[in-house]
Amino acid sequence: MENFKNKLKKRRILFIVVVILIVAVSILEAFSIIGSSKETFTDGMTDGIAWGTYIALGFGALAQIIRISRMLTNETMLKKAYNRENDERLKMIRSKAGMPMLLITSIAMFVVGIAFSSINETVFYTLLAAGYVQLLCGVGVKLYCLKTM
Amino acid sequence: MKTRIKELRKANKLSQEELALEVGTTRQTITSIEVEKYTASLVLAYKIARYFKLTIEDVFDFSDVEY
């Protein structure tokens, strides 16, 4: 259990770094120091999608920080989380759904897509759509397996 | 695979959640095993049987298994 606690603490640090980075990027973008121009409708749209994705990732990371902090102070919650993470059935379902690799590649697609948004619009839309479809497929398989297994 | 988990749980006045916590799994997995949707691994079957102080054969019904 101590190893799991240390793992959770490391995860929390990682999420804190993510939140700090997103806040920094958001502040810079709010003052138009970075980010694409918003002169045309398409520019505004790519910028809006990028901004929305940052905010969503930030809130997701913040929710994880709160969840992990609560787990670390509550033994029952910690045990449940440990069981959930090491549960053989859930492990099998996760591997069938291609997790966590699918999640990692989707996030990588979003990040690369956003980074390329100011350079090439088509690449941005393609990567974003591919990332979302990939995630959706993974979630679909996971839900199906949860229901049938 | 048929099991006696539900019956043993009831006899020991134990909820699925409590059993799951004791054997290191989730409530959903206990439900799946009870409704025969999922077959427990050897390790989990052993943990469940050991918790009830029984053998694996006493908890899990292997009569349907083909050799």
Side-chain angles (χ1 to χ4, degrees):
Chain A
M1 200 57 87
E2 271 309 305
N3 285 344
F4 184 61
K5 264 189 180 176
N6 289 334
K7 204 172 157 185
L8 284 180
K9 281 175 190 168
K10 278 179 194 164
R11 243 183 244 175
R12 187 169 60 178
I13 291 167
L14 193 77
F15 282 124
I16 290 169
V17 170
V18 168
V19 169
I20 290 168
L21 276 175
I22 287 169
V23 168
V25 168
S26 300
I27 290 169
L28 291 175
E29 206 170 288
F31 291 104
S32 300
I33 297 165
I34 57 162
S36 55
S37 71
K38 299 171 187 72
E39 282 168 9
T40 64
F41 172 74
T42 323
D43 283 345
M45 195 171 159
T46 49
D47 204 63
I49 292 173
W51 178 269
T53 310
Y54 288 145
I55 301 295
L57 284 175
F59 273 109
L62 202 66
Q64 288 298 322
I65 292 166
I66 295 166
R67 216 186 103 220
I68 292 170
S69 301
R70 282 180 65 196
M71 266 181 222
L72 288 170
T73 52
N74 187 329
E75 276 300 314
T76 318
M77 270 181 86
L78 187 72
K79 183 102 199 302
K80 275 185 190 172
Y82 179 80
N83 287 352
R84 198 166 173 76
E85 192 146 313
N86 294 291
D87 182 53
E88 56 178 47
R89 179 176 149 269
L90 290 178
K91 267 187 185 173
M92 192 190 280
I93 290 170
R94 274 196 289 265
S95 78
K96 275 189 179 182
M99 301 288 177
M101 216 48 218
L102 215 66
L103 190 71
I104 294 166
T105 50
S106 291
I107 290 173
M109 280 176 171
F110 294 150
V111 171
V112 173
I114 290 165
F116 271 81
S117 63
S118 52
I119 302 163
N120 192 321
E121 217 177 277
T122 316
V123 171
F124 168 72
Y125 284 122
T126 310
L127 283 173
L128 215 70
Y132 277 120
V133 169
Q134 197 175 260
L135 258 185
L136 212 66
C137 289
V139 171
V141 174
K142 196 175 174 182
L143 285 175
Y144 175 76
C145 289
L146 277 171
K147 193 93 182 148
T148 54
M149 279 177 72
Chain B
M1 180 182 282
K2 283 179 189 149
T3 73
R4 287 180 56 216
I5 296 175
K6 196 173 181 179
E7 176 195 330
L8 292 165
R9 257 195 326 105
K10 291 266 159 73
N12 286 276
K13 292 191 176 80
L14 206 66
S15 68
Q16 287 180 333
E17 185 81 57
E18 286 164 336
L19 177 63
L21 263 179
E22 290 297 331
V23 298
T25 188
T26 58
R27 185 189 57 77
Q28 290 86 347
T29 299
I30 298 291
T31 309
S32 287
I33 297 169
E34 282 185 3
V35 298
E36 300 170 37
K37 269 188 183 175
Y38 177 71
T39 305
S41 70
L42 180 64
V43 177
L44 184 57
Y46 172 71
K47 281 181 184 174
I48 294 170
R50 196 180 60 174
Y51 179 79
F52 290 118
K53 295 184 178 70
L54 294 167
T55 62
I56 293 177
E57 288 92 334
D58 291 332
V59 181
F60 294 86
D61 181 7
F62 291 94
S63 59
D64 291 342
V65 178
E66 286 175 28
Y67 295 100

